[in-house]
Amino acid sequence: MGLIKQKLVIFCRKVLFFHIWPLVFNLFKHRPLDEKLVLFAYNRNYSSMPDNMAGVFEYLKNKGFNCVEMASPKSGLKRLFFNLRFQKYYAVCRCVFLTDNFDPVYAHEPREGTRVIQLWHACGAFKKWGYSTADLAWGADKKSLSTFPMHNTYTDVFVSARAVVPCYAEAFGCDEKIIRPFGVPRTDVFFDEAFVERQRSELQKLFPEIGNRKIILYAPTFRGNDPETAHNEIRLDLEKLREKLSKEYVLLIKLHPFTAERFEFSEDEKERFGNFVFNASKLVNIDTALCSADLLIADYSSLIFEYALLERPMLFFAYDLEEYDRERSFYYEYKSFVPGKTVTDADGIIKAIETGDFEKEKVAPFRKKFMSACDGNCTRRIAEYAVSR
């Protein structure tokens, strides 16, 4: 029964991808191009418009463009009708912005005069994705990718630095000529000194117990081979960290959006760690968390690129590096790539903090190489390019 259902799903997807979506698009593409229509399309893995496109949306809206937010429902008939409506708009729009995979744009080429712009939701290039993960535990299998292509219709891809262009070309299976190091829109806030300075106060409104202590932000990526099975395990020895560090530090935990909603401390954990550990996963914006942190403990998350803009120290808690590398893989050799000291347990974290041995000298060259196009003006630069002729 499972095999029959799987075949039926593939058959329905083929009908939509190769017949229905192109048919609807072709019905409308002969209408005049709407020079003022700009689409912002994304799947509802987000509670609101992704931050990497929100600034561009506001900028172009203020310039008089008809900016239309198109958030795809997760499943069912609503998604079916949404995709048909998307093809109608896609056929006549000036450009469409994306920040992730979006199947309806891959079924056929855009019409002449329409730009398909991939902003992508991550800075730099760290763990692999797209065609780079074909046949790995994380990625799609090559047979599926040959049947249903993805990332194949972009006219422009914007990235954080020239150094990562080859990585994006590999991940998207595209020509390097369409990849432009114009920066990443959501990084503009990190160049606003007033914004950065204000974020600790914003955080303390939620967690006044922090007081004058320094903030350690633990922001790991999720584990698992797809968004539906994503999970996080807090492998830090919280008891040992509390015992050694709580007089001078607090620990702020910010989990990946795929797992944040499902994470809560037990009543016993709240009792034991309540004045040292604070769960910011659902309450705190990631920009606020990063700007407030005196130290970032990361693993394989691309947040390290944004944090590098602040030129503050980082530690890399890579307790499952071999397993993660085997299942997902990286664009660079991990230990020589990360801009900080690699540790595997609480003792390593404590020792690095007590001695100040973060290998912080790696941060500035890392920023220069992988974030050089981010200068506080990315939103304006990308928006104006998108609607230029």
Side-chain angles (χ1 to χ4, degrees), residues 198-213 215 288 292:
R198 193 167 60 243
Q199 297 317 297
R200 182 178 175 110
S201 297
E202 294 298 319
L203 183 68
Q204 286 183 304
K205 291 177 184 178
L206 294 170
F207 304 118
E209 302 91 341
I210 289 174
N212 294 321
R213 289 177 291 176
I215 298 170
T288 297
S292 301

Short mmCIF file of all heavy atoms in Angstrom, two decimals, residues 198-213 215 288 292:
data_model
loop_
_atom_site.label_atom_id
_atom_site.label_comp_id
_atom_site.label_asym_id
_atom_site.label_seq_id
_atom_site.Cartn_x
_atom_site.Cartn_y
_atom_site.Cartn_z
N ARG A 198 20.95 48.71 21.23
CA ARG A 198 19.64 48.65 21.87
C ARG A 198 19.19 47.23 22.20
O ARG A 198 18.31 47.03 23.06
CB ARG A 198 18.62 49.31 20.92
CG ARG A 198 17.29 49.63 21.52
CD ARG A 198 16.49 50.54 20.61
NE ARG A 198 16.22 49.97 19.30
CZ ARG A 198 16.66 50.47 18.16
NH1 ARG A 198 17.41 51.56 18.14
NH2 ARG A 198 16.34 49.91 17.00
N GLN A 199 19.78 46.23 21.56
CA GLN A 199 19.24 44.87 21.66
C GLN A 199 19.42 44.23 23.04
O GLN A 199 18.59 43.44 23.47
CB GLN A 199 19.83 43.99 20.57
CG GLN A 199 19.48 44.43 19.16
CD GLN A 199 18.03 44.83 19.02
OE1 GLN A 199 17.13 44.01 19.19
NE2 GLN A 199 17.78 46.10 18.70
N ARG A 200 20.51 44.54 23.74
CA ARG A 200 20.65 43.96 25.08
C ARG A 200 19.53 44.45 26.00
O ARG A 200 18.97 43.67 26.79
CB ARG A 200 22.01 44.27 25.68
CG ARG A 200 22.17 43.64 27.07
CD ARG A 200 23.50 43.84 27.71
NE ARG A 200 23.48 43.29 29.05
CZ ARG A 200 24.13 42.22 29.44
NH1 ARG A 200 24.88 41.53 28.60
NH2 ARG A 200 24.04 41.79 30.69
N SER A 201 19.19 45.71 25.90
CA SER A 201 18.09 46.24 26.71
C SER A 201 16.77 45.56 26.36
O SER A 201 15.95 45.27 27.24
CB SER A 201 17.96 47.76 26.51
OG SER A 201 19.12 48.42 26.96
N GLU A 202 16.58 45.30 25.06
CA GLU A 202 15.36 44.61 24.64
C GLU A 202 15.32 43.19 25.22
O GLU A 202 14.26 42.73 25.66
CB GLU A 202 15.30 44.54 23.11
CG GLU A 202 15.14 45.88 22.42
CD GLU A 202 13.84 46.57 22.79
OE1 GLU A 202 12.81 45.87 22.86
OE2 GLU A 202 13.87 47.79 23.02
N LEU A 203 16.45 42.53 25.24
CA LEU A 203 16.52 41.18 25.80
C LEU A 203 16.26 41.19 27.30
O LEU A 203 15.55 40.33 27.83
CB LEU A 203 17.89 40.57 25.51
CG LEU A 203 18.10 39.13 25.97
CD1 LEU A 203 17.24 38.17 25.16
CD2 LEU A 203 19.57 38.73 25.85
N GLN A 204 16.80 42.18 28.00
CA GLN A 204 16.64 42.24 29.46
C GLN A 204 15.22 42.56 29.88
O GLN A 204 14.84 42.30 31.02
CB GLN A 204 17.63 43.24 30.05
CG GLN A 204 19.06 42.69 30.05
CD GLN A 204 20.05 43.64 30.69
OE1 GLN A 204 20.16 44.79 30.27
NE2 GLN A 204 20.76 43.16 31.69
N LYS A 205 14.43 43.13 28.98
CA LYS A 205 13.02 43.32 29.28
C LYS A 205 12.32 41.97 29.44
O LYS A 205 11.38 41.83 30.24
CB LYS A 205 12.34 44.13 28.17
CG LYS A 205 12.78 45.59 28.11
CD LYS A 205 12.11 46.30 26.94
CE LYS A 205 12.60 47.73 26.81
NZ LYS A 205 12.00 48.42 25.64
N LEU A 206 12.78 40.98 28.69
CA LEU A 206 12.20 39.64 28.76
C LEU A 206 12.82 38.82 29.89
O LEU A 206 12.14 38.03 30.54
CB LEU A 206 12.41 38.90 27.43
CG LEU A 206 11.67 39.46 26.22
CD1 LEU A 206 12.15 38.80 24.94
CD2 LEU A 206 10.17 39.26 26.39
N PHE A 207 14.12 39.03 30.10
CA PHE A 207 14.85 38.25 31.11
C PHE A 207 15.63 39.20 32.01
O PHE A 207 16.86 39.30 31.93
CB PHE A 207 15.81 37.27 30.43
CG PHE A 207 15.17 36.34 29.44
CD1 PHE A 207 15.53 36.37 28.09
CD2 PHE A 207 14.20 35.44 29.84
CE1 PHE A 207 14.96 35.51 27.18
CE2 PHE A 207 13.60 34.58 28.92
CZ PHE A 207 13.98 34.61 27.59
N PRO A 208 14.95 39.90 32.92
CA PRO A 208 15.64 40.85 33.80
C PRO A 208 16.65 40.20 34.73
O PRO A 208 17.55 40.87 35.24
CB PRO A 208 14.50 41.51 34.57
CG PRO A 208 13.35 40.57 34.48
CD PRO A 208 13.49 39.90 33.15
N GLU A 209 16.51 38.87 34.93
CA GLU A 209 17.43 38.16 35.82
C GLU A 209 18.86 38.15 35.29
O GLU A 209 19.81 37.86 36.04
CB GLU A 209 16.96 36.70 36.01
CG GLU A 209 15.57 36.57 36.58
CD GLU A 209 14.50 36.49 35.48
OE1 GLU A 209 14.79 36.91 34.34
OE2 GLU A 209 13.39 36.03 35.78
N ILE A 210 19.05 38.48 34.04
CA ILE A 210 20.39 38.50 33.44
C ILE A 210 21.27 39.50 34.18
O ILE A 210 22.45 39.24 34.43
CB ILE A 210 20.32 38.85 31.94
CG1 ILE A 210 19.71 37.68 31.16
CG2 ILE A 210 21.72 39.17 31.40
CD1 ILE A 210 19.46 37.99 29.69
N GLY A 211 20.71 40.64 34.52
CA GLY A 211 21.47 41.65 35.23
C GLY A 211 22.66 42.15 34.43
O GLY A 211 22.56 42.41 33.23
N ASN A 212 23.81 42.25 35.09
CA ASN A 212 25.03 42.75 34.44
C ASN A 212 25.94 41.63 33.94
O ASN A 212 27.06 41.90 33.51
CB ASN A 212 25.81 43.64 35.41
CG ASN A 212 25.05 44.91 35.74
OD1 ASN A 212 24.40 45.49 34.87
ND2 ASN A 212 25.11 45.33 37.00
N ARG A 213 25.46 40.41 34.01
CA ARG A 213 26.30 39.28 33.59
C ARG A 213 26.46 39.24 32.07
O ARG A 213 25.61 39.73 31.33
CB ARG A 213 25.71 37.96 34.10
CG ARG A 213 25.83 37.78 35.61
CD ARG A 213 25.19 36.49 36.08
NE ARG A 213 23.73 36.52 35.97
CZ ARG A 213 22.94 35.49 36.24
NH1 ARG A 213 23.48 34.33 36.63
NH2 ARG A 213 21.63 35.59 36.13
N ILE A 215 26.61 37.50 28.36
CA ILE A 215 25.66 36.59 27.73
C ILE A 215 26.38 35.63 26.78
O ILE A 215 27.07 36.07 25.85
CB ILE A 215 24.57 37.36 26.96
CG1 ILE A 215 23.77 38.23 27.93
CG2 ILE A 215 23.65 36.41 26.19
CD1 ILE A 215 22.84 39.21 27.25
N THR A 288 18.22 40.09 17.74
CA THR A 288 18.35 40.53 19.13
C THR A 288 19.30 39.62 19.89
O THR A 288 20.17 40.08 20.64
CB THR A 288 16.98 40.56 19.82
OG1 THR A 288 16.15 41.52 19.16
CG2 THR A 288 17.10 40.93 21.29
N SER A 292 23.01 40.85 21.31
CA SER A 292 23.14 40.88 22.76
C SER A 292 24.28 40.02 23.27
O SER A 292 24.79 40.25 24.38
CB SER A 292 21.84 40.39 23.40
OG SER A 292 20.74 41.17 23.02
#
